[in-house]
């Protein structure tokens, strides 16, 4: 969509309405600048001067982020749709499609990278911070359950063997799941060590 539009009409209001109709957007999505007020000509009959306004389209941050994703899908030749859901944690964009493995990547690394980029794009078009969570066919929920089960098994191993367990490098989100799952465990504790991107969770006896 063109970002600016100059429209004329018999009145300022009519010119604005014409612009909104052409763009098919509500008035809340545009900034209006009056360039020329309407004026009547000689004796009110000749040389009538119409109103002229400039409309500037106000982009929606989430729409821009969604379009960014769709452009990536087109470049990668991936057929997918995006469903939006707003909740207390932020805005969830869930990707749906037949073959999403390429978008998820190994242990969700590609999905995390896309989420990082999507948040940069969205916040570029917003005057307040927006948090977007990117998911693909509920991958994050499946990943959460997998990590919770893994952490419980490894905690039992630490209790049985009395030896620390050092997990493989994980993303901050995955490490948070491990820490949360074991934070109230009566016998073991968790902490992270190392530097990104090789930071790891350690499970040890209290």
């Amino acid at each position: 969509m063109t970002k600016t539009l100059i429209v004329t009409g018999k009145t300022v209001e009519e010119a604005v309405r014409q612009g909104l109709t052409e763009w098919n957007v509500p008035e809340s999505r545009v900034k209006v600048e009056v360039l020329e007020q309407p004026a009547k000509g000689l004796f009110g009959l000749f040389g009538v001067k119409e109103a002229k306004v400039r409309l500037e389209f106000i982009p929606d941050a989430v729409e821009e982020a969604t379009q960014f994703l769709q452009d990536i899908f087109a470049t990668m030749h991936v057929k997918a749709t995006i469903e939006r859901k707003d909740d207390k944690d932020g805005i969830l964009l869930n990707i749906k499609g037949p073959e999403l493995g390429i978008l998820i990547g190994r242990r969700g690394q590609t999905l995390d990278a896309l989420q990082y980029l999507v948040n940069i794009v969205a916040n570029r078009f917003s005057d307040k911070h927006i948090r977007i969570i990117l998911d693909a066919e509920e991958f994050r929920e499946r990943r959460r359950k997998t990590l919770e089960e893994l952490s419980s098994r490894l905690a039992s191993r630490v209790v049985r063997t009395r030896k620390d367990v050092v997990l493989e490098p994980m993303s901050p989100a995955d490490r948070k799941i491990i820490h949360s799952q074991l934070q109230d465990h009566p016998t073991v504790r968790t902490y992270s060590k190392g530097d990104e991107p090789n930071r790891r969770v350690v499970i040890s006896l209290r």
Side-chain angles (χ1 to χ4, degrees):
M1 178 185 290
T2 305
K3 298 302 181 182
T4 60
L5 180 67
I6 295 178
V7 197
T8 59
K10 291 181 180 179
T11 64
V12 170
E13 291 76 14
E14 180 181 296
V16 171
R17 281 198 303 271
Q18 290 183 21
L20 297 177
T21 299
E22 182 170 336
W23 272 347
N24 192 28
V25 297
E27 191 168 354
S28 60
R29 294 295 302 278
V30 301
K31 183 191 299 181
V32 179
E33 179 185 357
V34 179
L35 301 177
E36 294 179 5
Q37 290 284 354
K40 294 182 179 180
L42 184 64
F43 306 120
L45 299 173
F46 305 104
V48 176
K49 182 180 179 183
E50 291 191 320
K52 182 186 289 186
V53 300
R54 177 189 287 116
L55 303 184
E56 180 181 349
F57 180 70
I58 301 173
D60 179 86
V62 180
E63 286 182 9
E64 295 292 334
T66 301
Q67 184 60 54
F68 170 76
L69 280 175
Q70 290 172 338
D71 292 342
I72 290 179
F73 298 163
T75 301
M76 299 174 68
H77 304 289
V78 173
K79 293 183 179 180
T81 59
I82 302 171
E83 293 182 353
R84 172 178 173 172
K85 179 181 179 182
D86 296 11
D87 59 28
K88 60 182 179 61
D89 295 323
I91 299 167
L92 172 66
L93 296 181
N94 189 41
I95 306 169
K96 291 183 173 291
E99 298 178 0
L100 299 182
I102 190 173
L103 297 179
I104 295 173
R106 183 173 179 268
R107 297 186 177 88
Q109 290 177 343
T110 304
L111 192 64
D112 287 341
L114 286 173
Q115 177 174 285
Y116 174 76
L117 294 174
V118 160
N119 276 276
I120 289 178
V121 171
N123 283 284
R124 186 182 299 163
F125 293 97
S126 177
D127 55 3
K128 62 180 181 180
H129 181 71
I130 293 177
R131 180 172 183 253
I132 294 179
I133 303 165
L134 192 62
D135 203 354
E137 294 288 10
E138 288 74 47
F139 166 80
R140 295 198 184 281
E141 179 63 19
R142 299 196 306 271
R143 177 70 172 165
R144 181 184 65 80
K145 290 181 179 178
T146 297
L147 290 175
E148 287 178 349
E149 292 171 358
L150 173 66
S151 61
S152 295
R153 290 199 307 271
L154 293 179
S156 296
R157 181 196 298 179
V158 170
V159 172
R160 186 178 67 255
T161 64
R162 308 190 69 77
K163 294 181 179 179
D164 293 356
V165 170
V166 182
L167 282 73
E168 63 184 14
M170 290 182 178
S171 68
D174 284 354
R175 295 198 304 270
K176 183 178 179 180
I177 293 172
I178 300 290
H179 292 313
S180 297
Q181 178 68 9
L182 298 179
Q183 64 181 353
D184 296 323
H185 196 285
T187 311
V188 305
R189 66 186 182 96
T190 63
Y191 61 92
S192 295
K193 72 174 185 178
D195 300 319
E196 302 289 3
N198 295 312
R199 195 161 173 78
R200 306 164 182 260
V201 173
V202 179
I203 304 175
S204 65
L205 289 173
R206 288 185 181 275

